[in-house]
Amino acid sequence: MKVVAIVGSTRNESYNLKLTKYIQEKYKERLDIEILNIRDLPHYDQDIELDPPESVTKLKRKIAKADAVLWVTPEYNYSIPGVLKNAIDWLSRVEKVMFGKPSWIMGATMGTLGTVRAQQHLRDILFCPGVGSPLLPGNEVYIGAVHEKIDGAGNLTHEPTIKFLDTVVDSFIKWFNQQQPFNNR
Ligand SMILES: Cc1cc2nc3c(=O)[nH]c(=O)nc-3n(C[C@H](O)[C@H](O)[C@H](O)COP(=O)(O)O)c2cc1C
Protein backbone atom coordinates (compact mmCIF):
# COMPACT_ATOMS: atom_id res chain seq x y z
CA MET A 1 0.00 0.00 0.00
CA LYS A 2 1.36 3.39 -0.98
CA VAL A 3 1.04 5.96 1.80
CA VAL A 4 2.14 9.57 1.62
CA ALA A 5 3.05 11.22 4.92
CA ILE A 6 2.57 14.92 5.53
CA VAL A 7 4.47 16.27 8.50
CA GLY A 8 3.19 19.45 10.14
CA SER A 9 6.64 20.66 11.16
CA THR A 10 9.19 21.89 8.65
CA ARG A 11 12.03 22.08 11.16
CA ASN A 12 15.09 19.96 10.30
CA GLU A 13 15.28 18.34 13.73
CA SER A 14 11.51 17.88 14.03
CA TYR A 15 10.43 15.08 16.34
CA ASN A 16 7.39 14.55 14.17
CA LEU A 17 9.64 14.09 11.16
CA LYS A 18 11.82 11.67 13.14
CA LEU A 19 8.72 9.74 14.20
CA THR A 20 7.57 9.58 10.58
CA LYS A 21 10.97 8.31 9.42
CA TYR A 22 10.94 5.71 12.19
CA ILE A 23 7.52 4.47 11.04
CA GLN A 24 8.62 4.55 7.41
CA GLU A 25 11.57 2.28 8.19
CA LYS A 26 9.97 0.00 10.79
CA TYR A 27 6.89 -0.91 8.74
CA LYS A 28 8.49 -0.86 5.28
CA GLU A 29 7.49 -4.47 4.57
CA ARG A 30 3.83 -3.56 5.02
CA LEU A 31 3.62 0.09 3.98
CA ASP A 32 5.42 2.02 1.28
CA ILE A 33 5.60 5.46 2.93
CA GLU A 34 6.81 8.55 1.10
CA ILE A 35 7.27 11.76 3.09
CA LEU A 36 6.03 14.77 1.15
CA ASN A 37 7.46 18.26 1.28
CA ILE A 38 5.13 21.11 2.27
CA ARG A 39 7.89 23.56 3.11
CA ASP A 40 8.03 25.03 -0.38
CA LEU A 41 4.33 25.68 -0.78
CA PRO A 42 3.40 29.34 -1.21
CA HIS A 43 0.61 30.82 0.86
CA TYR A 44 -2.76 29.69 -0.44
CA ASP A 45 -4.06 32.32 -2.84
CA GLN A 46 -7.42 31.99 -4.55
CA ASP A 47 -6.24 34.25 -7.38
CA ILE A 48 -3.76 31.60 -8.56
CA GLU A 49 -5.53 28.38 -7.58
CA LEU A 50 -6.42 27.52 -11.21
CA ASP A 51 -2.79 27.84 -12.27
CA PRO A 52 -0.84 27.08 -9.11
CA PRO A 53 2.93 26.87 -8.70
CA GLU A 54 4.65 23.55 -9.42
CA SER A 55 5.07 22.76 -5.70
CA VAL A 56 1.27 22.65 -5.33
CA THR A 57 0.71 20.59 -8.48
CA LYS A 58 3.39 18.12 -7.42
CA LEU A 59 1.91 17.69 -3.95
CA LYS A 60 -1.57 17.13 -5.38
CA ARG A 61 -0.28 14.65 -7.95
CA LYS A 62 1.48 12.58 -5.30
CA ILE A 63 -1.58 12.51 -3.07
CA ALA A 64 -3.86 11.60 -5.97
CA LYS A 65 -1.66 8.59 -6.77
CA ALA A 66 -1.35 7.41 -3.15
CA ASP A 67 -3.70 5.00 -1.43
CA ALA A 68 -3.77 6.92 1.85
CA VAL A 69 -2.38 9.90 3.73
CA LEU A 70 -0.65 9.79 7.11
CA TRP A 71 -0.68 13.13 8.95
CA VAL A 72 1.99 13.57 11.61
CA THR A 73 1.79 16.91 13.34
CA PRO A 74 2.94 18.93 16.31
CA GLU A 75 0.58 21.27 18.13
CA TYR A 76 1.12 25.01 17.71
CA ASN A 77 -0.89 27.25 20.03
CA TYR A 78 -3.58 24.64 20.59
CA SER A 79 -4.05 23.93 16.89
CA ILE A 80 -2.25 22.59 13.85
CA PRO A 81 0.70 24.59 12.51
CA GLY A 82 -0.20 27.21 9.90
CA VAL A 83 2.02 25.51 7.34
CA LEU A 84 -0.14 22.39 7.58
CA LYS A 85 -3.42 24.29 7.36
CA ASN A 86 -2.03 26.12 4.35
CA ALA A 87 -1.23 22.82 2.62
CA ILE A 88 -4.74 21.50 3.30
CA ASP A 89 -6.29 24.71 1.98
CA TRP A 90 -4.49 24.11 -1.34
CA LEU A 91 -5.62 20.48 -1.34
CA SER A 92 -9.23 21.47 -0.74
CA ARG A 93 -9.60 23.46 -3.96
CA VAL A 94 -9.96 22.70 -7.71
CA GLU A 95 -8.89 19.01 -7.90
CA LYS A 96 -10.01 17.96 -4.44
CA VAL A 97 -7.46 15.19 -4.11
CA MET A 98 -8.28 14.39 -0.48
CA PHE A 99 -11.89 13.53 -1.28
CA GLY A 100 -12.44 9.87 -0.41
CA LYS A 101 -8.72 9.41 0.36
CA PRO A 102 -8.29 7.49 3.62
CA SER A 103 -6.33 9.28 6.34
CA TRP A 104 -4.82 8.52 9.70
CA ILE A 105 -3.30 10.90 12.21
CA MET A 106 -0.43 10.90 14.68
CA GLY A 107 1.20 13.69 16.62
CA ALA A 108 4.07 14.34 18.98
CA THR A 109 4.92 17.20 21.25
CA MET A 110 7.33 17.88 24.06
CA GLY A 111 4.39 18.79 26.29
CA THR A 112 2.28 16.26 28.14
CA LEU A 113 -0.90 16.24 26.08
CA GLY A 114 0.69 14.99 22.88
CA THR A 115 -1.18 17.19 20.36
CA VAL A 116 -4.68 16.27 21.53
CA ARG A 117 -6.09 19.72 20.73
CA ALA A 118 -4.33 19.99 17.37
CA GLN A 119 -5.64 16.59 16.32
CA GLN A 120 -9.17 17.56 17.28
CA HIS A 121 -8.89 20.49 14.88
CA LEU A 122 -7.30 18.34 12.20
CA ARG A 123 -10.16 15.83 12.39
CA ASP A 124 -12.66 18.66 11.89
CA ILE A 125 -10.71 19.99 8.92
CA LEU A 126 -10.49 16.57 7.26
CA PHE A 127 -14.29 16.37 7.57
CA CYS A 128 -14.85 19.66 5.66
CA PRO A 129 -16.68 19.35 2.31
CA GLY A 130 -13.61 20.44 0.32
CA VAL A 131 -11.47 17.84 2.00
CA GLY A 132 -13.79 14.89 2.67
CA SER A 133 -11.19 12.42 3.85
CA PRO A 134 -12.42 9.31 5.71
CA LEU A 135 -10.40 8.93 8.88
CA LEU A 136 -9.27 5.83 10.77
CA PRO A 137 -11.57 5.81 13.81
CA GLY A 138 -10.14 5.35 17.31
CA ASN A 139 -6.40 4.63 17.37
CA GLU A 140 -5.57 8.15 18.46
CA VAL A 141 -1.81 8.53 18.65
CA TYR A 142 -0.86 11.29 21.10
CA ILE A 143 2.85 11.18 21.90
CA GLY A 144 3.68 13.54 24.78
CA ALA A 145 7.19 14.17 26.14
CA VAL A 146 8.49 13.05 22.78
CA HIS A 147 12.02 14.34 23.52
CA GLU A 148 12.26 11.58 26.16
CA LYS A 149 11.02 8.88 23.80
CA ILE A 150 13.17 9.36 20.70
CA ASP A 151 16.94 8.97 20.94
CA GLY A 152 19.69 10.93 19.19
CA ALA A 153 19.64 8.53 16.24
CA GLY A 154 15.91 9.09 15.71
CA ASN A 155 14.80 5.76 17.14
CA LEU A 156 11.70 5.47 19.22
CA THR A 157 12.82 3.96 22.51
CA HIS A 158 9.64 4.07 24.59
CA GLU A 159 8.37 0.50 24.69
CA PRO A 160 4.66 1.23 25.34
CA THR A 161 4.59 3.65 22.40
CA ILE A 162 6.39 1.13 20.17
CA LYS A 163 3.78 -1.53 21.01
CA PHE A 164 0.92 0.90 20.57
CA LEU A 165 2.17 1.88 17.11
CA ASP A 166 2.19 -1.81 16.15
CA THR A 167 -1.51 -2.06 17.00
CA VAL A 168 -2.30 1.20 15.21
CA VAL A 169 -0.58 0.06 12.03
CA ASP A 170 -2.52 -3.23 12.20
CA SER A 171 -5.76 -1.31 12.73
CA PHE A 172 -5.01 1.04 9.89
CA ILE A 173 -4.30 -1.75 7.40
CA LYS A 174 -7.45 -3.66 8.39
CA TRP A 175 -9.59 -0.54 8.26
CA PHE A 176 -8.07 0.53 4.93
CA ASN A 177 -8.92 -2.83 3.37
CA GLN A 178 -12.53 -2.35 4.42
CA GLN A 179 -12.55 1.08 2.72
CA GLN A 180 -11.71 -0.26 -0.74
CA PRO A 181 -15.14 0.22 -2.36
CA PHE A 182 -15.21 3.86 -1.20
CA ASN A 183 -11.59 4.26 -2.16
CA ASN A 184 -12.18 3.13 -5.73
CA ARG A 185 -14.89 5.64 -6.46
C1 LIG B 1 4.81 28.31 17.70
C2 LIG B 1 4.77 27.14 18.65
C3 LIG B 1 3.62 26.89 19.37
C4 LIG B 1 3.55 25.77 20.21
N1 LIG B 1 2.37 25.48 20.85
C5 LIG B 1 2.24 24.32 21.52
C6 LIG B 1 0.97 23.92 22.03
O1 LIG B 1 -0.02 24.60 21.89
N2 LIG B 1 0.90 22.73 22.66
C7 LIG B 1 2.00 21.93 22.83
O2 LIG B 1 1.87 20.84 23.42
N3 LIG B 1 3.22 22.29 22.36
C8 LIG B 1 3.35 23.44 21.70
N4 LIG B 1 4.57 23.81 21.16
C9 LIG B 1 5.72 22.93 21.39
C10 LIG B 1 5.85 21.95 20.25
O3 LIG B 1 4.89 20.94 20.38
C11 LIG B 1 7.24 21.33 20.26
O4 LIG B 1 8.16 22.37 19.99
C12 LIG B 1 7.40 20.23 19.24
O5 LIG B 1 8.64 19.62 19.43
C13 LIG B 1 7.29 20.73 17.84
O6 LIG B 1 7.27 19.65 16.94
P1 LIG B 1 8.54 19.25 16.05
O7 LIG B 1 9.60 18.76 17.00
O8 LIG B 1 8.01 18.17 15.17
O9 LIG B 1 9.00 20.47 15.30
C14 LIG B 1 4.67 24.93 20.36
C15 LIG B 1 5.84 25.23 19.65
C16 LIG B 1 5.89 26.30 18.81
C17 LIG B 1 7.15 26.56 18.00
Side-chain angles (χ1 to χ4, degrees):
M1 183 197 315
K2 175 80 184 182
V3 176
V4 288
I6 299 184
V7 180
S9 171
T10 56
R11 152 180 118 82
N12 289 334
E13 291 300 314
S14 160
Y15 287 112
N16 285 277
L17 179 60
K18 287 178 183 170
L19 175 67
T20 311
K21 287 182 173 168
Y22 168 86
I23 291 166
Q24 183 183 42
E25 176 61 24
K26 169 136 194 229
Y27 302 103
K28 65 182 175 198
E29 306 302 330
R30 306 177 71 194
L31 300 170
D32 172 11
I33 299 180
E34 180 182 3
I35 302 171
L36 302 185
N37 173 24
I38 60 169
R39 188 184 220 147
D40 300 334
L41 295 177
H43 290 155
Y44 170 75
D45 181 346
Q46 195 170 358
D47 288 344
I48 58 168
E49 68 174 12
L50 294 176
D51 186 19
E54 176 61 18
S55 55
V56 174
T57 312
K58 199 170 158 192
L59 181 74
K60 284 188 161 188
R61 208 181 299 131
K62 287 198 179 246
I63 292 175
K65 281 192 188 154
D67 295 309
V69 178
L70 169 62
W71 307 89
V72 188
T73 187
E75 181 169 286
Y76 277 7
N77 298 312
Y78 289 8
S79 189
I80 60 170
V83 68
L84 182 57
K85 178 64 163 55
N86 182 57
I88 298 173
D89 288 343
W90 277 115
L91 300 176
S92 71
R93 301 286 295 175
V94 196
E95 308 91 6
K96 297 176 172 142
V97 288
M98 283 310 303
F99 198 79
K101 185 78 61 184
S103 279
W104 47 323
I105 303 178
M106 299 182 184
T109 173
M110 291 194 263
T112 49
L113 296 182
T115 72
V116 66
R117 289 162 294 213
Q119 290 196 36
Q120 185 62 55
H121 288 183
L122 182 53
R123 280 192 289 274
D124 280 350
I125 294 164
L126 294 180
F127 196 71
C128 286
V131 187
S133 173
L135 182 64
L136 172 68
N139 295 277
E140 293 163 51
V141 181
Y142 304 122
I143 304 181
V146 64
H147 53 297
E148 295 168 6
K149 297 174 180 166
I150 292 184
D151 69 15
N155 291 310
L156 192 60
T157 54
H158 187 246
E159 209 51 48
T161 305
I162 292 171
K163 287 202 177 107
F164 181 53
L165 285 182
D166 285 346
T167 69
V168 171
V169 168
D170 284 346
S171 299
F172 173 71
I173 292 171
K174 274 189 205 134
W175 173 79
F176 175 84
N177 288 330
Q178 290 162 2
Q179 299 298 304
Q180 283 298 340
F182 189 95
N183 201 27
N184 288 338
R185 282 202 316 196

